């Protein structure tokens, strides 16, 4: 079985790129303001975006724009597509925000609470794109290209999958970073190897 | 009552992050859930918190919510009769 990267994208330093080419950038905004600006620029039209926490917004935007223009974009059910993400800070940014809502008068916010798990970002992506395959969220010190390659290869074999959204979605204290790859079985020109994953992530 | 309705609309937009909706977009009689604003169960919890935090109303029976949150008019009517702050 040969896995390939058919498309990749990144959000880093207030810059959104697809396949290495800058699509939208604005250095004058804060990292979280940039997410809203990117959403409006791409005219996504999904009001629930505004209810998401910043981690979910980051992953949702990156995934939406990764799938845009591909056969996977739209309402078709995707039973053999998976989502495999990782990050460093888990949901700590929102955990802190939730703690603040408890405060002295004790009014914890339900809508903030629901985002106090990092894997919720995958749920938001899966709901929008009707993705029903395997999904796993890992928390690690840094993006581990070797582990990602091995894990994704293994799941493709064991679960008979055809495609997956794979990558890194990190958000903490105005540091925002996403790197997502669309990985497909026998489809694409870039091989899903550790060296290439590392190179694309660092680029 | 009109002042309360206007205030309520602003608070709902803020607390539920309805970024692309203005107070004028919210019909006083339109359903808040399902059609209308299309709010969900988490939004309902947030509205319960709003009632307690801003108006001192603590709902004892969850079933009350169905009637209270039917529309902005229903919510404002209930608040005007039961508010403690």
């Amino acid at each position: 079985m040969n896995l390939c990267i058919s498309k990749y994208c990144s959000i880093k330093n207030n810059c959104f790129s697809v396949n290495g080419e800058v699509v939208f950038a604005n250095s004058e905004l804060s990292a979280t303001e940039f997410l809203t600006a990117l959403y409006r620029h791409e005219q996504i039209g999904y009001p629930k975006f505004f209810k998401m926490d910043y981690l979910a917004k980051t992953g949702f935007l990156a995934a939406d724009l990764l799938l845009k223009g591909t056969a996977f974009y739209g309402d078709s059910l995707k039973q053999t597509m998976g989502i495999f993400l990782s990050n460093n800070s888990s949901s700590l940014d929102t955990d802190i925000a939730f703690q603040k809502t408890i405060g002295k008068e004790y009014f914890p916010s339900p809508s903030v609470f629901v985002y106090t798990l990092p894997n919720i970002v995958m749920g938001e992506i899966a709901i929008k794109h009707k993705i029903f395959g395997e999904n796993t969220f890992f928390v690690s010190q840094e993006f581990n290209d070797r582990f990602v390659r091995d894990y994704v290869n293994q799941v493709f074999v064991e679960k008979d999958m055809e495609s997956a959204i794979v990558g890194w979605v990190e958000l903490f204290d105005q540091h925002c970073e996403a790197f997502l790859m669309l990985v497909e079985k026998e489809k694409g020109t870039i091989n899903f190897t550790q060296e290439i994953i590392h190179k694309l992530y660092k680029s | 009552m009109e002042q309360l309705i206007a205030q309520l609309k602003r608070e709902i937009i803020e607390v539920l992050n309805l970024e692309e909706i203005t107070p004028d977009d919210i019909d006083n009689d339109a359903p808040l859930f399902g059609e209308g604003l299309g709010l969900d169960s988490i939004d309902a919890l947030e509205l319960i918190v709003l009632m307690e935090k801003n108006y001192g109303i603590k709902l004892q029976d969850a079933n009350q919510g169905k009637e209270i949150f039917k529309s902005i008019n229903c919510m404002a009517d209930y608040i005007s009769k039961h508010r403690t702050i």
Side-chain angles (χ1 to χ4, degrees), chain A residues 55-56 58-60 85 117-126 137 169:
Chain A
L55 178 66
T58 305
F60 172 86
L85 304 179
L117 283 172
N119 55 325
I120 301 301
V121 59
M122 297 190 300
E124 296 291 5
I125 296 168
F137 197 104
V169 181

Side-chain angles (χ1 to χ4, degrees), chain A residues 40 50-51 109-111 114, chain B residues 16-17 19-20 42-43 46:
Chain A
R40 294 195 194 283
F50 294 106
K51 293 172 181 279
S109 167
S111 59
V114 293
Chain B
L16 301 185
N17 292 314
E19 291 247 349
E20 291 174 331
I42 300 299
D43 294 323
E46 207 64 67

Side-chain angles (χ1 to χ4, degrees), chain A residues 10-196:
Chain A
S10 71
I11 297 173
K12 200 175 181 181
N13 300 327
N14 283 19
C15 179
F16 170 67
S17 305
V18 176
N19 292 340
E21 292 194 14
V22 175
V23 173
F24 179 70
N26 189 329
S27 59
E28 292 176 2
L29 303 173
S30 70
T32 49
E33 286 170 344
F34 176 76
L35 296 175
T36 304
L38 178 59
Y39 168 87
R40 294 195 194 283
H41 179 263
E42 294 294 327
Q43 301 178 318
I44 292 173
Y46 192 70
K48 193 165 186 272
F49 171 81
F50 294 106
K51 293 172 181 279
M52 297 177 196
D53 74 339
Y54 292 127
L55 178 66
K57 280 180 176 173
T58 305
F60 172 86
L61 275 176
D64 203 81
L65 299 172
L66 179 76
L67 298 183
K68 199 175 179 180
T70 74
F72 299 106
Y73 200 81
D75 284 343
S76 61
L77 300 186
K78 298 159 192 80
Q79 307 276 11
T80 56
M81 180 176 233
I83 308 174
F84 305 104
L85 304 179
S86 55
N87 80 358
N88 172 283
S89 304
S90 184
S91 58
L92 190 58
D93 195 75
T94 299
D95 298 347
I96 292 169
F98 178 67
Q99 192 178 33
K100 284 178 183 167
T101 71
I102 297 173
K104 213 166 47 175
E105 296 175 15
Y106 198 77
F107 285 108
S109 167
S111 59
V112 177
F113 174 73
V114 293
Y115 288 99
T116 55
L117 283 172
N119 55 325
I120 301 301
V121 59
M122 297 190 300
E124 296 291 5
I125 296 168
I127 289 167
K128 168 82 191 297
H129 297 286
K130 295 190 166 44
I131 298 170
F132 287 87
E134 289 287 308
N135 64 74
T136 319
F137 197 104
F138 296 98
V139 177
S140 58
Q141 190 67 35
E142 55 190 18
F143 183 58
N144 188 332
D145 40 46
R146 190 176 71 175
F147 174 78
V148 166
R149 178 206 59 190
D150 292 345
Y151 185 81
V152 171
N153 266 288
Q154 186 180 336
V155 179
F156 262 74
V157 172
E158 288 182 0
K159 302 292 179 180
D160 200 22
M161 288 171 42
E162 294 293 328
S163 59
I165 295 169
V166 181
W168 176 260
V169 181
E170 166 69 9
L171 188 293
F172 183 68
D173 196 20
Q174 292 294 325
H175 170 71
C176 173
E177 188 186 321
F179 166 65
L180 294 186
M181 298 169 282
L182 178 57
V183 178
E184 295 185 69
K185 203 190 269 184
E186 315 287 354
K187 197 177 174 188
T189 54
I190 309 170
N191 287 326
F192 187 65
T193 64
Q194 182 186 353
E195 294 72 25
I196 290 176

Side-chain angles (χ1 to χ4, degrees), chain B residues 27-56:
Chain B
D27 185 331
N28 293 354
D29 286 314
L32 294 174
F33 292 86
E35 46 186 302
L37 281 185
L39 306 184
D40 60 23
S41 56
I42 300 299
D43 294 323
L45 293 174
E46 207 64 67
L47 290 182
I48 290 170
V49 172
L50 183 152
M51 297 256 286
E52 185 175 355
K53 191 175 174 182
N54 295 3
Y55 301 100

